[in-house]
């Protein structure tokens, strides 16, 4: 099957019944539910780009299995040129959503592609040869059927005491509870399945388990199943799509990707969908062993760049509309936004320039550089939003609704809200977009999301320290200290 269209994606959601709950009610159709439909339409628009003649060559490539055109985010790049081509594709999608959908399908596509190329990793240690085969077949399945995946990585936390630091409490954490001839039965809960209600399947794994003294654990799991699997339940937070127009709520009305708690009530995972089971060391080494984190960071960098471009563009337009671009404090803040945007782009391009073939024959972005994009954005994005708030000031409050432009005060609005450079309607439309980025519930969720997108700051600092070539820099200093004093 070639790359899907948006209509095919939406039809696939309707055909697979799944158990999704929001506001105490079960959702009958995620494609029409007022709190979810906007996000589904946004994903559909990404799939339509694949079939748009304008983008077709940038968005797809020829499948090595069928010869059909499939999504380019599924490619395992073998050259720098292919790595760069994948980045172009990911940027096209990220810019389409203004970087506001952190879990667009390419995020999981690049992850599973890395697994597929490194499938033999899953047969190491206590892994089984069939696990490698399962991973390989599953990668081919999602590539050829253009499957949309969500994922859940983290167990729910009952306590923050030392004994509970790894969130592996019986009865809460997701674990294998039974083996049958058909598969593995799992029970527990996971967070945070972003895009869960409007995905085809859910992948379940952990970045690390923390049980370093144990060789085998029922908590060590990696698998993927359809979102309609019996016993699988998605509990949504409140939707940030408030049912307003694109004028009134430009981002929330379009890009609500939803976050969920996922309950696994004795869910049976077929053996052919199990990729890793029990082996703690294998699970903890999967990121370095398959390099999937570097590839998902590459996708994240494209998303971050699109987000930077949106905030910077907004800031420039806002200050132009208000006529204060020449003020020193405005120039300083705009300069900071430009610097963050430039650093994000530079890190992504440097990671591509320094990419190397890994042991699986895949062109892998430089790990230190590409992982740095995650560390940077945890603090850079909240700061960018703060700058936007400072630049907008009270103008964020001068934002009547679309209905007001048709009401009895329309003339007053047109007269008094215009500036020397922009009409009232265009000013209000601009600042309603800025508010959706910097002040609304949708925008606040984005800030929280970016703060913890890749875990907490300390964990990220430790992750970067673990791969940074520290000895090289220390040796330079030691060599300098060894030089003899050559002063006259």
């Amino acid at each position: 099957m070639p790359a899907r269209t948006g209509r095919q994606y939406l039809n696939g959601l309707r055909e697979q019944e799944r158990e999704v709950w929001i506001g105490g009610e079960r959702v009958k159709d995620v494609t029409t539910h007022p709190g979810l439909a906007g996000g589904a339409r946004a994903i559909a628009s990404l799939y339509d780009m694949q079939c748009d003649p304008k983008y077709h060559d940038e968005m797809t490539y020829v499948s090595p299995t069928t010869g059909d055109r499939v999504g380019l985010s599924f490619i395992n790049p073998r050259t720098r040129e292919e790595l760069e081509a994948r980045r172009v594709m990911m940027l096209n999608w990220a810019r389409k959503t203004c970087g506001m959908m952190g879990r667009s399908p390419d995020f999981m596509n690049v992850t599973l592609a890395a697994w597929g190329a490194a499938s033999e990793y899953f047969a190491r240690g206590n892994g089984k040869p069939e696990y490698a085969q399962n991973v390989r077949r599953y990668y081919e399945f999602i590539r050829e059927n253009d499957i949309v995946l969500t994922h859940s990585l983290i167990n729910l936390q009952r306590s923050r005491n030392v004994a509970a630091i790894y969130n592996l409490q019986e009865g809460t954490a997701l674990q294998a509870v039974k083996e049958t001839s058909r598969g593995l039965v799992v029970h527990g809960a996971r967070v945070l399945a972003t895009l869960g209600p409007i995905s085809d399947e859910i992948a379940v794994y952990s970045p690390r388990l923390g049980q370093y003294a144990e060789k085998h654990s029922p908590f060590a799991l990696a698998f993927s199943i359809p979102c309609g699997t019996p016993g699988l339940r998605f509990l949504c937070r409140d939707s940030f799509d408030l049912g307003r127009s694109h004028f009134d709520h430009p981002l929330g009305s379009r890009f609500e990707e939803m976050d969920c708690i996922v309950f696994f009530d004795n869910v049976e995972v077929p053996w052919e969908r199990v990729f890793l089971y029990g082996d703690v060391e294998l699970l903890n080494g999967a990121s370095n062993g398959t390099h999937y984190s570097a590839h998902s960071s590459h996708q994240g960098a494209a998303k971050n760049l699109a987000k930077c471009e949106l905030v910077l563009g907004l800031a420039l337009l806002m200050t132009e509309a208000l006529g204060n671009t020449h003020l020193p404090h405005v120039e300083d803040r705009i300069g900071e936004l430009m610097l963050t945007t430039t650093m994000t782009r530079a890190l992504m391009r440097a990671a591509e320039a320094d990419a190397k073939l890994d042991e699986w024959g895949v062109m892998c972005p430089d790990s230190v550089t590409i992982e740095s994009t995650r560390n940077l954005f945890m603090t850079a994005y909240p700061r960018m939003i703060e700058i936007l708030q400072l630049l907008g000031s009270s103008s964020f409050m001068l934002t009547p609704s679309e209905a007001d432009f048709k009401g009895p005060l329309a003339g007053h609005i047109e007269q008094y809200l215009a500036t020397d450079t922009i009409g009232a309607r265009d000013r209000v439309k601009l600042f309603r977009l800025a508010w959706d980025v910097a002040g609304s519930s949708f925008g606040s969720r984005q800030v929280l999301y970016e703060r913890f997108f890749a875990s907490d700051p300390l964990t990220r600092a430790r992750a970067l320290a673990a791969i940074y070539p520290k000895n090289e820099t220390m040796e330079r200093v030691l060599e300098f200290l060894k030089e003899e004093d050559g002063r006259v």
Side-chain angles (χ1 to χ4, degrees):
M1 176 181 177
R4 286 197 291 180
T5 64
R7 181 186 295 272
Q8 289 171 323
Y9 156 69
L10 293 174
N11 287 340
L13 292 181
R14 296 186 188 103
E15 290 166 2
Q16 185 188 174
E17 184 178 359
R18 75 273 314 280
E19 191 170 341
V20 176
W21 293 82
I22 184 169
E25 297 181 355
R26 183 169 178 179
V27 177
K28 294 180 179 179
D29 182 353
V30 296
T31 68
T32 59
H33 187 279
L36 300 171
R41 287 193 296 268
I43 298 297
S45 73
L46 301 183
Y47 280 94
D48 282 336
M49 286 183 72
Q50 297 182 137
C51 304
D52 185 337
K54 178 182 176 181
Y55 293 102
H56 192 58
D57 290 340
E58 290 185 355
M59 303 302 295
T60 63
Y61 75 112
V62 177
S63 164
T65 304
T66 64
D68 290 330
R69 302 288 300 191
V70 295
L72 189 56
S73 56
F74 289 108
I75 196 172
N76 271 308
R78 305 295 179 180
T79 64
R80 287 191 179 87
E81 290 74 19
E82 288 183 345
L83 186 65
E84 291 168 0
R86 188 181 71 176
R87 180 249 304 155
V88 170
M89 175 267 155
M90 295 188 300
L91 259 178
N92 284 338
W93 268 6
R95 285 169 172 158
K96 179 75 171 175
T97 65
C98 301
M100 292 292 163
M101 296 193 82
R103 286 297 185 265
S104 54
D106 46 335
F107 178 85
M108 288 305 298
N109 293 353
V110 301
T111 297
L112 269 296
W115 285 14
S119 59
E120 290 305 318
Y121 173 84
F122 295 87
R124 291 177 176 174
N126 295 324
K128 300 178 181 179
E130 51 263 39
Y131 291 165
Q133 187 178 59
N134 291 349
V135 171
R136 200 159 45 244
R137 286 178 176 173
Y138 186 71
Y139 160 61
E140 293 176 357
F141 165 74
I142 62 172
R143 181 188 68 201
E144 301 305 326
N145 292 277
D146 220 357
I147 297 299
V148 178
L149 278 160
T150 182
H151 74 334
S152 61
L153 304 183
I154 308 300
N155 291 307
L156 283 163
Q157 190 176 61
R158 292 182 68 93
S159 171
R160 290 180 180 253
N161 62 36
V162 175
I165 192 170
Y166 297 119
N167 304 341
L168 299 179
Q169 292 92 333
E170 294 276 347
T172 300
L174 183 67
Q175 66 180 103
V177 295
K178 185 179 179 182
E179 297 179 33
T180 72
S181 59
R182 296 182 303 274
L184 198 61
V185 179
V186 299
H187 188 84
R190 277 286 181 95
V191 291
L192 194 60
T194 302
L195 210 71
I198 53 177
S199 296
D200 299 309
E201 303 221 350
I202 179 170
V204 178
Y205 55 100
S206 298
R208 69 190 191 287
L209 202 60
Q211 291 182 305
Y212 300 107
E214 298 183 33
K215 296 295 184 182
H216 185 278
S217 170
F219 300 107
L221 299 164
F223 61 86
S224 189
I225 51 177
C227 289
T229 301
L232 193 60
R233 299 179 174 90
F234 295 88
L235 177 61
C236 304
R237 57 161 168 76
D238 288 345
S239 177
F240 297 139
D241 183 347
L242 305 179
R244 307 291 294 277
S245 69
H246 290 343
F247 181 97
D248 287 342
H249 203 194
L251 297 177
S253 64
R254 289 178 169 96
F255 305 130
E256 169 57 277
E257 59 184 351
M258 189 49 71
D259 307 297
C260 298
I261 304 170
V262 192
F263 302 116
F264 297 79
D265 190 5
N266 291 315
V267 173
E268 186 172 77
V269 181
W271 284 118
E272 61 268 21
R273 289 300 194 92
V274 176
F275 312 138
L276 186 153
Y277 169 46
D279 194 320
V280 175
E281 185 175 351
L282 199 65
L283 185 146
N284 287 338
S287 178
N288 291 333
T290 68
H291 301 127
Y292 77 80
S293 182
H295 291 285
S296 64
S297 293
H298 192 218
Q299 186 275 343
K303 178 264 296 177
N304 293 353
L305 178 57
K307 222 162 190 170
C308 285
E309 292 170 343
L310 173 70
V311 175
L312 175 58
L314 267 174
L316 291 168
L317 289 168
M318 287 163 55
T319 54
E320 185 178 89
L322 298 176
N324 59 6
T325 56
H326 62 288
L327 298 179
H329 70 278
V330 172
E331 293 177 321
D332 180 53
R333 289 164 182 165
I334 292 292
E336 188 175 341
L337 295 178
M338 289 177 173
L339 179 61
T340 300
T341 303
T342 301
M343 286 194 298
T344 300
R345 181 185 294 108
L347 284 169
M348 180 174 63
R349 298 292 281 125
E352 295 167 1
D354 292 340
K356 295 181 176 60
L357 287 173
D358 65 15
E359 64 178 293
W360 313 108
V362 177
M363 186 59 67
C364 184
D366 178 70
S367 293
V368 170
T369 318
I370 203 62
E371 292 289 355
S372 294
T373 62
R374 288 179 164 175
N375 293 46
L376 169 68
F377 220 59
M378 297 177 84
T379 54
Y381 186 71
R383 172 57 181 163
M384 293 180 81
I385 298 307
E386 180 185 27
I387 290 173
L388 209 60
Q389 292 168 345
L390 293 171
L391 293 175
S393 185
S394 60
S395 289
F396 283 120
M397 303 297 105
L398 309 180
T399 50
S401 71
E402 187 173 27
D404 288 316
F405 280 91
K406 301 174 184 177
L409 299 182
H412 290 346
I413 295 171
E414 295 286 359
Q415 178 182 355
Y416 294 114
L417 266 66
T419 73
D420 290 341
T421 60
I422 193 170
R425 184 179 178 86
D426 287 339
R427 174 189 177 170
V428 171
K429 191 174 184 180
L430 174 65
F431 276 89
R432 288 195 78 97
L433 173 58
W435 177 253
D436 226 3
V437 174
S440 71
S441 55
F442 180 92
S444 296
R445 180 262 181 189
Q446 292 289 330
V447 173
L448 184 67
Y449 185 85
E450 296 301 350
R451 284 186 188 278
F452 298 103
F453 177 85
S455 192
D456 62 275
L458 177 58
T459 299
R460 287 304 310 167
R462 287 170 172 168
L464 189 61
I467 60 175
Y468 197 91
K470 297 183 286 294
N471 289 340
E472 182 180 325
T473 55
M474 290 190 292
E475 283 298 325
R476 287 199 182 100
V477 175
L478 292 173
E479 286 298 319
F480 175 78
L481 292 173
K482 290 178 182 177
E483 291 181 8
E484 293 186 9
D485 192 337
R487 288 177 297 176
V488 176

